[in-house]
Amino acid sequence: MAYTAHFKVWRGDDSGGGLEDFQIEVNEGEVVLDVIHRLQATQTPDLAVRWNCKAGKCGSCSAEINGRPRLMCMTRMNLFEPGETVTVTPMRTFPVIRDLVTDVSFNYTKARMMPSFAPPKDLAPGEYRMQQEDVERSQEFRKCIECFLCQDVCHVIRDHEANKPAFSGPRFLIRLAELDMHPLDTVDRRDVAVEDHGIGLCNITKCCTEVCPEGIKITDNGIIPMKERVADKRYDPLFSIGSLFRKSRNRRDPAPPTPKE
């Protein structure tokens, strides 16, 4: 059954903008992206919106709907009462390019900083072997569609622009966790997690997990275990004592004699 809905859509660019009011037809079974497309077709042909698959798998149509970061293509109109105003705004954490389209290049900059998978040098690709539970643990993190909703809702960078150089955000902390937990990866990523990606700034409020459209347990299964791994290395007293012992031993060991020519 069709009805007329009241939409408020943010219009503008990097120089400023504001909400504009629209009365628009809504049909049974539609999602917010359907209504945005109808607005483009009937009232605002210059409305800018990013989208691709309309199936919740490309992560392109991220926005904030009534203040909550969501995928427009996965937000059904029957979530709202017929008389309820639906407000659609761009993701707040990233600079606006135009209307609902934001500049998410911050995320690609952080992705390029990520150390790649490094398997053992003595194993050929066909010789890799893993336990099924290790496969399933990594597979959860690989469900990420890079919609960057977790990045948008993370208050460490949402409310503090100055943190962006030091903090990569939940999407990339789970990528680090995935690689560090991988039984065939040979790189120790714990120092990198602290020094290059700022895992210590995360205070595990779980807001990233709440908005993930893929249901990834970002905090419980990724960030917290990675924090524990970091703590084991950097703050465990036994590890620290062992490090001091090794340094002291190295200082006592005489240098090897220089061979005579």
Side-chain angles (χ1 to χ4, degrees):
M1 180 178 177
Y3 66 94
T4 300
H6 179 206
F7 263 63
K8 285 181 174 287
V9 181
W10 197 91
R11 303 296 309 278
D13 53 28
D14 58 355
S15 63
L19 293 170
E20 292 188 10
D21 289 273
F22 299 95
Q23 299 293 324
I24 185 71
E25 177 185 331
V26 175
N27 298 310
E28 185 176 358
E30 288 187 326
V31 296
V32 170
L33 187 59
D34 291 319
V35 180
I36 294 296
H37 284 166
R38 185 170 294 115
L39 281 173
Q40 285 181 314
T42 61
Q43 300 184 42
T44 59
D46 62 340
L47 174 63
V49 58
R50 183 182 284 135
W51 71 284
N52 188 14
C53 72
K54 200 176 175 292
K57 293 302 176 186
C58 73
S60 299
C61 64
S62 300
E64 296 190 12
I65 302 171
N66 286 2
R68 182 181 176 87
R70 295 177 179 269
L71 293 177
M72 288 188 283
C73 71
M74 298 300 288
T75 305
R76 307 197 72 82
M77 286 302 301
N78 62 12
L79 292 175
F80 313 104
E81 297 296 330
E84 182 179 355
T85 298
V86 180
T87 303
V88 186
T89 56
M91 290 191 288
R92 200 182 86 183
T93 298
F94 308 112
V96 172
I97 297 175
R98 184 180 162 198
D99 299 339
L100 302 178
V101 177
T102 53
D103 180 1
V104 295
S105 58
F106 161 82
N107 300 287
Y108 303 120
T109 299
K110 294 299 183 180
R112 286 192 291 270
M113 295 169 56
M114 196 66 51
S116 60
F117 175 67
K121 294 181 179 180
D122 59 344
L123 289 182
E127 298 172 344
Y128 296 169
R129 298 292 184 271
M130 293 171 59
Q131 296 292 326
Q132 184 60 36
E133 61 182 356
D134 293 321
V135 174
E136 292 169 356
R137 179 165 49 198
S138 296
Q139 190 63 33
E140 178 187 11
F141 303 134
R142 288 183 173 272
K143 289 162 55 182
C144 174
I145 59 175
E146 296 202 324
C147 60
F148 304 129
L149 293 179
C150 63
Q151 301 283 87
D152 180 48
V153 80
C154 178
H155 61 89
V156 178
I157 50 179
R158 181 184 179 94
D159 299 330
H160 306 281
E161 184 72 20
N163 286 337
K164 285 186 176 180
F167 185 68
S168 295
R171 189 278 168 268
F172 300 102
L173 295 183
I174 64 167
R175 174 61 176 160
L176 275 173
E178 173 201 340
L179 292 170
D180 200 65
M181 296 175 189
H182 199 295
L184 295 177
D185 187 78
T186 59
V187 177
D188 186 344
R189 304 170 191 277
R190 291 174 291 182
D191 288 335
V192 169
V194 175
E195 296 164 8
D196 295 344
H197 299 279
I199 194 171
L201 291 173
C202 172
N203 55 11
I204 56 175
T205 57
K206 301 189 180 184
C207 49
C208 51
T209 300
E210 291 178 3
V211 300
C212 178
E214 288 295 311
I216 302 171
K217 293 181 174 60
I218 298 171
T219 313
D220 291 341
N221 292 352
I223 296 177
I224 290 177
M226 193 63 195
K227 276 178 167 282
E228 291 171 346
R229 286 168 177 258
V230 168
D232 284 345
K233 178 176 182 180
R234 298 173 73 95
Y235 307 112
D236 187 294
L238 294 178
F239 186 91
S240 300
I241 292 171
S243 298
L244 293 173
F245 176 77
R246 287 191 293 272
K247 290 178 182 178
S248 175
R249 179 180 174 182
N250 290 338
R251 284 196 296 268
R252 292 196 305 268
D253 290 342
T258 302
K260 297 181 180 180
E261 296 182 354

